[in-house]
């Protein structure tokens, strides 16, 4: 079993829909990252959080440490949001990130 | 600022050949990382460095070596390439343990 699991693996949506991507992990962590990988391959960090909630534009990330679960929400989705969204966790007392396999999102006009 | 750059962007090797991938960052970051990305798998850490002159093994270090002689550069070497090393390689850097900034990737094919 992977230490970081994302769901769903693939997601399609119509423009304007509210999107939720989930990440569950099985290890003790000091932080969780959400990353975006565009079709061209580039990877961009969206959020790093260790508790509560963060918001940036139409993106919202939440984390529940007790339940070992995080969600990434996209409000009013747009075709330019089409990308792979990756969850990664920083395990306690290490310098390393463990990555999920990603959720591929396609938003159609 | 260029951020994180990687050289080359693409490379095709024959089995047994050697090569070096160069990662450079201009953000004065202490931490640098090399990852590989394979279909159906998450990014996996090959080696990393927490400062100039230091390196450490990650999750999949076998077949690779690294060096961090200058703070801004992190080199990944393949001494004798194998088809299993066909992958997309990403370099990243961070200020201590903050968010990581990724390079554009290097697509390597080993025949």
């Amino acid at each position: 079993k992977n230490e970081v699991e994302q769901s769903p693996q693939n997601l399609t949506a119509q423009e304007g829909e509210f999107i939720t991507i989930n990440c569950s992990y099985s290890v003790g962590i000091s932080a969780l990252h959400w990353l975006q990988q565009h079709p061209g391959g580039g990877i961009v960090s969206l959020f790093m959080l260790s508790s509560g909630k963060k918001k940036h534009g139409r993106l919202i990330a939440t984390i529940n440490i007790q339940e070992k679960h995080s969600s990434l929400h996209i409000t009013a989705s747009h075709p330019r949001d089409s990308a792979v969204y990756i969850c990664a966790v920083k395990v306690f007392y290490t310098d390393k990130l463990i990555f999920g396999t990603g959720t591929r999102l396609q938003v159609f006009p | 600022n260029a951020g994180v750059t990687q050289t080359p962007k693409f490379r095709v090797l024959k089995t047994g050949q050697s090569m070096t991938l160069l990662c450079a960052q201009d953000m004065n970051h202490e931490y640098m990382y090399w990852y590989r990305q394979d279909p159906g798998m998450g990014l996996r850490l090959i080696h990393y460095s927490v400062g100039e002159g230091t390196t450490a093994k990650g999750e999949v270090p076998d077949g690779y070596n690294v060096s961090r002689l200058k703070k801004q550069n992190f080199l990944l070497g393949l001494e004798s390439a194998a088809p299993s090393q066909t992958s997309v390689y990403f370099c990243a850097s961070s200020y201590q343990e903050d968010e990581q900034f990724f390079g554009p990737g290097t697509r390597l094919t080993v025949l």
Side-chain angles (χ1 to χ4, degrees):
Chain A
K1 188 179 187 302
N2 293 335
E3 292 162 304
V4 180
E5 298 272 2
Q6 289 186 235
S7 63
Q9 288 187 329
N10 295 284
L11 185 56
T12 58
Q14 289 295 124
E15 184 173 355
E17 286 186 7
F18 182 84
I19 304 291
T20 296
I21 298 170
N22 297 298
C23 176
S24 297
Y25 52 92
S26 58
V27 293
I29 70 168
S30 56
L32 183 142
H33 297 248
W34 281 103
L35 307 161
Q36 180 191 55
Q37 185 169 25
H38 272 283
I43 300 173
V44 175
S45 178
L46 297 174
F47 296 103
M48 185 181 79
L49 64 167
S50 55
S51 65
K53 176 179 172 178
K54 286 191 175 181
K55 183 175 190 290
H56 184 257
R58 294 179 295 106
L59 301 177
I60 304 166
T62 64
I63 188 168
N64 185 318
I65 296 293
Q66 286 72 30
E67 294 186 4
K68 295 188 173 180
H69 181 268
S70 175
S71 293
L72 177 68
H73 305 287
I74 305 175
T75 62
S77 59
H78 190 276
R80 65 174 175 265
D81 297 325
S82 298
V84 175
Y85 292 84
I86 301 169
C87 170
V89 300
K90 181 157 182 311
V91 181
F92 272 130
Y93 311 119
T94 74
D95 297 313
K96 309 167 197 177
L97 291 179
I98 302 175
F99 293 79
T101 55
T103 294
R104 184 175 300 276
L105 170 66
Q106 292 187 76
V107 182
F108 294 99
Chain B
N1 290 346
V4 180
T5 58
Q6 291 182 231
T7 310
K9 289 186 170 51
F10 303 94
R11 186 73 186 268
V12 178
L13 291 178
K14 294 181 180 177
T15 296
Q17 287 185 319
S18 63
M19 79 163 293
T20 300
L21 282 66
L22 170 64
C23 176
Q25 52 94 5
D26 60 4
M27 296 173 282
N28 202 34
H29 284 166
E30 292 292 335
Y31 287 43
M32 296 186 75
Y33 312 83
W34 275 109
Y35 296 98
R36 58 178 291 171
Q37 186 177 42
D38 301 295
M41 304 184 76
L43 286 154
R44 291 182 293 167
L45 182 65
I46 304 171
H47 286 280
Y48 66 102
S49 168
V50 299
E52 181 179 316
T54 74
T55 62
K57 293 181 180 179
E59 185 184 350
V60 288
D62 294 342
Y64 305 95
N65 57 74
V66 287
S67 65
R68 183 102 182 266
L69 298 179
K70 292 183 179 180
K71 187 177 183 178
Q72 63 267 34
N73 295 336
F74 195 29
L75 278 64
L76 178 71
L78 286 73
E79 290 185 348
S80 179
S84 61
Q85 293 177 305
T86 293
S87 189
V88 180
Y89 291 85
F90 286 96
C91 174
S93 71
S94 66
Y95 176 68
Q96 297 187 342
E97 298 171 276
D98 294 337
E99 67 171 303
Q100 294 186 15
F101 292 80
F102 286 80
T106 294
R107 188 172 295 275
L108 175 66
T109 302
V110 182
L111 302 175

